[in-house]
C-alpha cells in the first residue's frame, strides 16, 4: 500500500510539472501569434492559457502534435513507460495530467493527423469544448452515451498497457468446471476459443454444466 501511495504521489508531481510545461509552451505560442491571430480574450491571460489556449492551439496550428513534440520535456512525458504511470487499482485507468488528457481528446476529436493516441481518448460527444471529460449530468436525457464506458482505445500500445495492468490482477485459473479465457486478441478470438472448447467437451459427452 505504501509503495502504491508513493507511486501515485510521484505520478501527481510529474503530471503537475507537465501541466506547467504545457502552459509555458502555450504562453510562448500566444505571445508569438497574438498580432496575426484573432484570439478573443474574454478572460485574464492566465485563465485563458489554463482553460482554452490548448484548444485554440489545435484549431490554429498545422500538425499541432508535431509542434508539441518538439518540446523535449513534453515528448518525454507523453512517451514515458507504463511502469511509471499510476493506474487506479479499481478501474485500471491511468492517472493523466489535465493537459495530457486534453491533448489526447483534442487529437481524436479534431482528427488532424490521423494518428494513434496513447492510453485513452474520450468520445468527442463526452468532451467539453476545452477537451476535458464532460460530467455525465451534462449528457442529453435518455442518451445512449450514459450507458457505455466512454473510453476509446485508439492504439495497440494503449490496449497492451491496459491489458498488462489488468492481467496482474487476474489470479483465477481454469480448474474443474471453471474455464478462464484471458488472452490478448479480439472478442471474436475468445468466442472461437469457446466454440472449440465446447465442441471438444461435446465430443467427450460432457454433460455437467461448465462455467466460462
Amino acid at each position: 500500500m505504501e509503495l502504491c501511495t508513493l507511486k501515485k504521489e510521484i505520478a501527481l508531481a510529474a503530471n503537475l510539472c507537465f501541466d506547467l510545461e504545457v502552459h509555458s509552451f502555450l504562453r510562448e505560442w500566444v505571445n508569438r501569434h497574438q498580432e496575426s491571430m484573432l484570439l478573443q480574450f474574454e478572460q485574464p491571460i492566465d485563465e485563458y492559457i489554463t482553460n482554452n489556449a490548448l484548444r485554440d492551439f489545435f484549431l490554429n496550428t498545422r500538425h499541432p502534435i508535431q509542434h508539441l513534440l518538439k518540446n523535449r520535456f513534453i515528448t518525454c512525458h507523453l512517451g514515458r513507460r507504463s511502469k511509471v504511470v499510476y493506474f487506479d487499482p479499481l478501474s485500471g485507468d491511468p492517472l493523466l495530467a489535465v493537459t495530457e488528457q486534453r491533448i489526447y481528446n483534442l487529437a481524436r476529436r479534431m482528427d488532424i493527423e490521423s494518428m494513434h493516441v496513447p492510453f485513452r481518448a474520450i468520445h468527442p460527444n463526452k468532451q467539453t469544448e476545452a477537451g476535458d471529460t464532460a460530467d455525465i449530468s451534462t449528457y442529453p436525457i435518455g442518451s445512449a452515451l450514459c450507458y457505455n464506458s466512454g473510453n476509446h482505445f485508439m492504439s495497440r500500445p494503449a490496449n497492451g498497457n491496459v491489458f498488462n495492468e489488468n492481467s496482474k490482477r487476474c489470479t483465477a485459473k481454469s480448474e474443474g468446471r471453471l474455464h478462464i479465457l484471458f488472452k490478448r486478441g479480439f472478442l471474436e478470438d475468445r468466442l472461437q476459443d469457446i466454440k472449440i472448447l465446447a465442441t471438444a467437451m461435446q465430443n467427450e459427452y460432457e454433460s455437467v454444466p461448465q462455467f466460462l
Side-chain angles (χ1 to χ4, degrees):
M1 180 62 70
E2 291 182 358
L3 180 61
C4 184
T5 301
L6 178 61
K7 186 174 181 179
K8 183 176 182 179
E9 291 177 351
I10 293 174
L12 285 170
N15 287 347
L16 176 59
C17 290
F18 179 78
D19 283 336
L20 293 175
E21 183 65 28
V22 173
H23 290 169
S24 177
F25 175 93
L26 292 172
R27 187 180 296 275
E28 292 180 8
W29 174 75
V30 169
N31 290 336
R32 291 197 308 269
H33 295 84
Q34 59 184 351
E35 294 181 358
S36 59
M37 299 179 63
L38 299 176
L39 297 176
Q40 299 296 320
F41 297 104
E42 297 180 354
Q43 54 188 326
I45 182 64
D46 288 338
E47 289 186 21
Y48 171 76
I49 290 174
T50 299
N51 300 319
N52 301 111
L54 186 62
R55 177 197 58 187
D56 286 349
F57 171 76
F58 268 78
L59 287 172
N60 294 283
T61 304
R62 185 178 181 183
H63 305 310
I65 296 293
Q66 292 184 21
H67 284 276
L68 284 170
L69 294 180
K70 291 179 181 179
N71 181 297
R72 184 176 181 182
F73 188 95
I74 292 176
T75 299
C76 289
H77 185 85
L78 295 180
R80 67 198 186 283
R81 300 178 66 180
S82 61
K83 69 178 183 179
V84 298
V85 178
Y86 176 80
F87 290 85
D88 186 279
L90 296 179
S91 67
D93 291 335
L95 179 62
L96 306 179
V98 173
T99 50
E100 182 179 10
Q101 183 69 76
R102 285 179 182 173
I103 289 171
Y104 300 150
N105 287 349
L106 291 170
R108 184 194 176 200
R109 188 170 87 206
M110 299 181 179
D111 197 26
I112 295 172
E113 299 169 84
S114 300
M115 61 179 294
H116 290 302
V117 180
F119 293 116
R120 299 184 177 195
I122 305 303
H123 189 285
N125 291 340
K126 294 188 173 185
Q127 297 180 26
T128 66
E129 284 299 315
D132 293 324
T133 302
D135 189 275
I136 193 171
S137 63
T138 64
Y139 298 166
I141 297 177
S143 171
L145 292 174
C146 297
Y147 303 103
N148 62 52
S149 66
N151 294 322
H152 182 85
F153 297 95
M154 293 288 286
S155 67
R156 288 185 180 276
N159 288 337
N161 289 338
V162 175
F163 180 91
N164 290 336
E165 287 301 314
N166 288 336
S167 64
K168 295 176 182 177
R169 302 180 179 86
C170 184
T171 58
K173 298 181 180 180
S174 296
E175 184 176 357
R177 293 183 295 153
L178 176 65
H179 308 274
I180 305 295
L181 293 88
F182 194 77
K183 303 177 182 178
R184 289 184 183 276
F186 297 97
L187 178 59
E188 291 82 357
D189 299 329
R190 302 294 72 79
L191 291 176
Q192 183 63 27
D193 291 342
I194 292 174
K195 181 179 180 180
I196 294 174
L197 181 60
T199 300
M201 289 188 293
Q202 185 177 23
N203 291 337
E204 296 176 1
Y205 301 100
E206 183 63 64
S207 59
V208 179
Q210 303 293 311
F211 301 91
L212 301 170

